[in-house]
Amino acid sequence: SFLELLEWVEEKDFQKILVRDVTRWGRFDDIDESAYWEYHCKNLGKEVIYIEEDFKNDNSLYDALMKSIKRVMAAEYSRKLGKLVLAGSKKIASQGFKLGGSPPYALKRMLVNQERVHVRILEKGERKTVGNDRVIFVPGAKDQIENVNLIFPLYVEDLLGGGKICNHLNGFGIPSPRGGKWSAGTVSTILQREAYIGTMVYNKVSKVPGTEKRKRNPESEWVKCEGAFIPIVSKEDFFDAKKLRAERRRTYTDGELLSMLHDLYHRYSFVSPALLLRCGLPRAETYKKRFDSLEAALLLSQEGVVREAKETTLEALKKFYRVRESNGSYL
């Protein structure tokens, strides 16, 4: 709105701009920004007159000094106010209440009073009107809860990735949270929502001062309140998914990948994509990206034996290790 007002200033023909005080240009961390907007208006031929300031704004040394001091004070006030607001928000979140925003998929916002007595469900776009009232999450539509509880087993038990889970949901015509097709990002978000196990989490991200960018805060700065809401997913399923997600995100060195494959082969005398998943090892696709194929990785993992075999051709190596394909498995 401020920028729209400045556009209006550029278009209209008038001589004076009345400003309440220096802070009306903005309480910026960089005080030169508020000075810039005043200069911009002056450069358009408009005289800036401050109503509640004790200087005339006539470009005197006193005026310049007073405006600089007040801009610094305005920036410091904004920083202090930001800290107070954040501290208050953290306190409310630590008590298990939700601060703004839309509810996650399969949950609804419930308005509660000071005694945590349920008042009513808040529909989309509605806000609380009483300052002492608070908002919590409660289970939403039954079919959405069932969908969430379908995603976790598909990920943890069936070991499906985000893309395959999307294909599964879209194949059954299940609408996504926005009513369209499911995406891997949406599935990933659901798998990470601690609200589904009844935990309130706040301050995971924050705004970078002076910009529109947001940064992810370290977990030590998060505010958590367990048992804040009625859970719709078991903690066992949630933390199993969290552990599996961490394992899949980990970046292994070539040596670590080959070492794990070597140990797996000597334990079971065969290697297959399904066995890798069952034993919690990186997927076959990871080996394919690094070593061209799972078979090639298996041969490299047995390098010491290769040297003893004194064989160089791929067929000879296959014969020596008894490596052959059979029903999708490498024996």
Side-chain angles (χ1 to χ4, degrees), residues 53-323:
E53 299 291 3
D54 56 358
F55 52 82
K56 296 181 180 180
N57 200 29
D58 56 3
N59 291 326
S60 65
L61 179 61
Y62 173 77
D63 285 0
L65 180 61
M66 289 303 298
K67 281 194 289 187
S68 295
I69 292 175
K70 287 180 177 290
R71 285 168 183 151
V72 171
M73 292 172 62
E76 182 61 20
Y77 171 81
S78 180
R79 282 191 287 268
K80 287 184 177 180
L81 183 61
K83 290 181 180 179
L84 289 173
V85 171
L86 179 60
S89 298
K90 285 183 175 180
K91 181 178 180 180
I92 293 174
S94 68
Q95 297 170 344
F97 299 118
K98 173 63 178 173
L99 291 93
S102 302
Y105 179 70
L107 297 178
K108 287 186 176 294
R109 294 180 302 151
M110 173 64 72
L111 185 67
V112 297
N113 61 21
Q114 289 178 296
E115 286 75 34
R116 289 182 178 265
V117 176
H118 291 191
V119 178
R120 65 183 180 88
I121 294 290
L122 290 176
E123 301 297 338
K124 184 178 181 181
E126 289 187 327
R127 299 183 180 181
K128 67 186 185 74
T129 55
V130 180
N132 290 332
D133 285 348
R134 295 287 181 247
V135 177
I136 63 172
F137 288 145
V138 294
K142 183 179 178 181
D143 59 333
Q144 293 183 355
I145 295 175
E146 292 174 350
N147 294 337
V148 171
N149 281 280
L150 173 64
I151 289 173
F152 278 88
L154 288 175
Y155 186 80
V156 176
E157 298 174 10
D158 297 340
L159 301 171
L160 298 183
K164 292 184 178 179
I165 292 177
C166 290
N167 294 337
H168 182 88
L169 297 172
N170 292 329
F172 281 97
I174 298 174
S176 71
R178 294 188 176 183
K181 298 289 187 180
W182 286 84
S183 67
T186 304
V187 171
S188 177
T189 299
I190 287 177
L191 291 170
Q192 298 178 63
R193 285 279 192 185
E194 292 191 56
Y196 293 135
I197 57 171
T199 300
M200 172 66 202
V201 183
Y202 180 73
N203 201 41
K204 294 180 70 173
V205 297
S206 59
K207 185 175 177 292
V208 179
T211 71
E212 294 300 321
K213 298 180 179 179
R214 302 178 72 83
K215 67 180 181 71
R216 186 174 179 83
N217 296 324
E219 194 165 350
S220 58
E221 296 182 12
W222 297 1
V223 177
K224 286 189 176 185
C225 178
E226 297 183 3
F229 318 124
I230 300 173
I232 64 172
V233 173
S234 71
K235 289 187 176 181
E236 182 181 2
D237 285 346
F238 181 85
F239 287 109
D240 283 348
K242 182 178 181 179
K243 180 181 178 181
L244 182 58
R245 192 168 59 254
E247 291 174 351
R248 289 180 175 179
R249 283 202 306 261
R250 179 182 171 185
T251 301
Y252 294 94
T253 64
D254 288 355
E256 288 175 326
L257 289 173
L258 294 176
S259 178
M260 290 186 290
L261 195 62
H262 176 275
D263 294 342
L264 187 70
Y265 176 77
H266 280 274
R267 188 188 313 166
Y268 294 99
S269 299
F270 78 98
V271 174
S272 72
L275 182 62
L276 290 174
L277 288 174
R278 192 165 69 246
C279 296
L281 270 67
R283 290 170 170 265
E285 289 81 357
T286 302
Y287 285 95
K288 184 177 180 180
K289 289 178 181 178
R290 296 282 190 93
F291 308 103
D292 293 330
S293 69
L294 182 59
E295 184 179 80
L298 179 60
L299 297 178
L300 288 172
S301 72
Q302 309 293 327
E303 184 179 358
V305 185
V306 171
R307 291 171 181 170
E308 293 179 6
K310 296 181 181 180
E311 299 280 3
T312 56
T313 66
L314 181 60
E315 291 302 321
L317 289 173
K318 287 183 179 180
K319 181 179 179 181
F320 181 81
Y321 293 119
R322 297 181 296 112
V323 181

